[in-house]
Amino acid sequence: MDNKQSLELVVKAADSKRAEGIIALDVHEISTLADYFVITSADSNRQVAAIADAIIEKAKENDVEIRRIEGYRAAEWILIDLGDIVINVFQTDQRKFYNLEKLWSEAKNVEIVDWITE
C-alpha cells in the first residue's frame, strides 16, 4: 500500500466516525517528519477516541505500521504516527487553540472530497 492509499484509508476511517473538518496536508516538501499530516476534530473526548480507534483499526487491518500513539488517555489531542502520515485528532477547542493549519500554512492541501461522504 503506497502513502496515498494509506492517506485515503485514514481519511475514510475518520469520516466513518463523523470526524469534523478533515484536512490532509502534503508536507513532504517542507518537513522531514512526514509526507502527509491529517488534522480533524470532534466535540467530545469520546468522539475523539472513537475516531482514533477507527484509524488504528483500519491501519492494523491493512498492515500499516503504527509507530506511536500519543494522548489517547486524555483524548483531547490524539496523535497517531504512521511514519509517512501523521494524524492529529483534536477535541474542537484544542484544535482552535493549537491551530496547526496556520503552523503548516505553506503545505499544499490534498484533495480529499471524493473520500468523504456528505
Side-chain angles (χ1 to χ4, degrees):
M1 179 174 285
D2 69 20
N3 288 345
K4 192 78 169 203
Q5 291 170 319
S6 295
L7 178 64
E8 180 177 356
L9 179 104
V10 164
V11 169
K12 286 181 174 180
D15 185 54
S16 75
K17 294 300 180 184
R18 300 186 186 169
E20 298 174 7
I22 303 170
I23 64 166
L25 301 173
D26 182 343
V27 296
H28 84 276
E29 292 182 4
I30 60 173
S31 174
T32 58
L33 297 175
D35 288 343
Y36 298 105
F37 279 3
V38 176
I39 303 169
T40 190
S41 55
D43 289 332
S44 71
N45 296 41
R46 180 176 283 170
Q47 190 68 23
V48 167
I51 294 165
D53 288 342
I55 293 167
I56 293 163
E57 180 181 325
K58 285 294 181 185
K60 287 179 179 177
E61 285 175 6
N62 290 276
D63 295 321
V64 176
E65 179 186 3
I66 300 168
R67 293 189 178 177
R68 191 170 188 99
I69 300 169
E70 296 287 336
Y72 190 85
R73 195 173 258 169
E76 292 179 354
W77 174 5
I78 300 175
L79 182 137
I80 305 166
D81 181 356
L82 303 180
D84 291 329
I85 303 170
V86 175
I87 304 102
N88 298 274
V89 185
F90 285 100
Q91 195 172 56
T92 303
D93 292 340
Q94 296 293 318
R95 182 176 184 173
K96 289 177 187 173
F97 180 79
Y98 287 103
N99 197 7
L100 291 187
E101 292 92 330
K102 183 177 179 183
L103 179 67
W104 296 103
S105 63
E106 293 178 31
K108 296 175 190 171
N109 282 311
V110 177
E111 187 62 47
I112 61 171
V113 70
D114 292 338
W115 302 339
I116 297 176
T117 58
E118 297 280 334

